[in-house]
Amino acid sequence: MQKKIAYVFPGQGSQAIGMLDSWSDDEAVRSTIDEASRVLGLDLWSLIRNGPGAELNRTDNTQPALVAVSVALLNAWRARGGVSGAMAAGHSVGEYAALVASGALTIADAIRVVRARGEAMYTAVPPGTGGMAAVIGLDDETVRQLCASCAHHDVLAPANYNAPGQVVVAGHVAAIERLGRHAREAGAKIVLTLPVSGPFHSPLMRPAADALHAVLGTVQIGEPAFAVWQNSDLRRATRAGIRDALVAQLVHPVRWTETIRRFEEAGVTHIVEIGPGEVLTHISARIAPGLCCLATSTPALMDTAIQAVAS
């Protein structure tokens, strides 16, 4: 059977202090992080290695750190002879790494944009006003109905369709609390409030979307060399549409379940997660058990993945 590879790039929540410790001697990784550090005017190596955690987890630092690490590992994959991806997608801010992989954005521009994106998202909603929660054990339509019935005069909406039975919602804190009570009554196994600084991928991010639109107007965008599936509308990214899609992403849900199924329909055989952790590896395997899903967060995992797609 002919193999077809799709890259996936993780979003916030995959970061961790020490996430590049096993890569400190890799030239491709070091040079990429050094370039990102120069763009930011920040020692990313120190932040990634030593924290403190509160600094790494601050949205305006987390986002450029994740994109830098993902692109660094992509460069390591390529330097080690890894099979080229035929298509790609990224979860939330991971979409920027996917666009860098495709050649539509330079790493320097991507890092500058996501730093501004993180700052705008952090300040879009006053602290304590909004948040996010993971709802485990209910289907997508039930969660949508619960959001509508629990919103009252607040904002509450699905933010991430991560996998069957796993939906993240975002909105005002009071509405999330109401949904938590009713979701358990509806049969949810878990309703978990997430430790994030705002209601991402919801209409409350409109001020951040407006700020991001202005920043994206300052960068050059090229035509992707291969298919990149957009979070917000599941369309293939084009030079003409990338800016609008990245802005829309902030106020619309990440449709990850449908993205992986789009890969299946396109004949993908292997999904390779390029970035820290294994979150997308696990949830993608849940969505599409017939696909081979591989992580690359350590040299050993990457070498295993390279062998798996090459043999």
Side-chain angles (χ1 to χ4, degrees):
M1 180 178 66
Q2 186 174 5
K3 294 176 181 175
K4 192 171 187 179
I5 314 305
Y7 297 139
V8 295
F9 298 88
Q12 278 185 250
S14 289
Q15 75 277 2
I17 293 174
M19 58 185 163
L20 284 181
D21 282 358
S22 58
W23 293 97
S24 58
D25 295 328
D26 187 281
E27 183 177 347
V29 170
R30 287 204 65 90
S31 63
T32 306
I33 299 301
D34 287 346
E35 179 181 359
S37 294
R38 288 193 294 272
V39 171
L40 290 171
L42 172 71
D43 186 348
L44 268 183
W45 272 111
S46 178
L47 179 63
I48 290 167
R49 279 181 147 179
N50 307 313
E55 285 296 304
L56 180 61
N57 292 329
R58 208 176 72 197
T59 301
D60 57 334
N61 286 333
T62 304
Q63 295 194 23
L66 278 172
V67 171
V69 169
S70 292
V71 175
L73 294 181
L74 173 69
N75 290 338
W77 172 269
R78 289 171 168 170
R80 290 170 180 241
V83 173
S84 296
M87 57 188 63
H91 193 286
S92 189
V93 73
E95 191 165 312
Y96 290 81
L99 290 168
V100 174
S102 75
L105 286 175
T106 67
I107 183 173
D109 281 342
I111 292 295
R112 278 192 288 268
V113 170
V114 298
R115 164 52 74 84
R117 178 184 188 267
E119 290 172 346
M121 291 170 73
Y122 184 75
T123 59
V125 178
T129 302
M132 303 179 79
V135 181
I136 310 298
L138 296 178
D139 62 78
D140 293 356
E141 182 56 32
T142 298
V143 175
R144 282 192 287 268
Q145 292 175 5
L146 283 167
C147 285
S149 63
C150 295
H152 295 183
H153 298 295
D154 292 326
V155 169
L156 184 63
N160 302 331
Y161 295 105
N162 283 335
Q166 182 180 332
V167 181
V168 174
V169 301
H172 286 108
V173 170
I176 291 173
E177 291 172 351
R178 287 192 292 271
L179 179 137
R181 294 191 296 271
H182 290 284
R184 292 183 184 91
E185 293 170 1
K189 296 177 182 177
I190 300 171
V191 180
L192 178 66
T193 301
L194 301 180
V196 296
S197 59
F200 306 148
H201 303 292
S202 81
L204 290 174
M205 284 290 109
R206 177 53 59 191
D210 294 341
L212 179 62
H213 183 272
V215 174
L216 284 166
T218 68
V219 302
Q220 294 293 318
I221 295 177
E223 196 67 42
F226 52 73
V228 176
W229 300 109
Q230 297 171 164
N231 285 181
S232 61
D233 57 15
L234 294 180
R235 293 179 180 174
R236 179 172 175 166
T238 65
R239 180 180 181 181
I242 285 171
R243 284 188 180 88
D244 287 344
L246 291 175
V247 172
Q249 187 207 68
L250 284 189
V251 295
H252 289 89
V254 174
R255 297 163 64 180
W256 195 254
T257 301
E258 293 171 276
T259 298
I260 299 304
R261 289 180 175 151
R262 183 64 58 88
F263 285 161
E264 282 188 298
E265 293 166 3
V268 165
T269 58
H270 293 69
I271 292 176
V272 179
E273 181 175 6
I274 308 285
E278 302 178 34
V279 170
L280 296 184
T281 302
H282 295 311
I283 64 173
S284 298
R286 281 187 56 201
I287 297 164
L291 301 188
C292 180
C293 300
L294 302 159
T296 62
S297 53
T298 68
L301 285 171
M302 183 175 288
D303 288 343
T304 298
I306 288 172
Q307 292 172 7
V309 300
S311 60

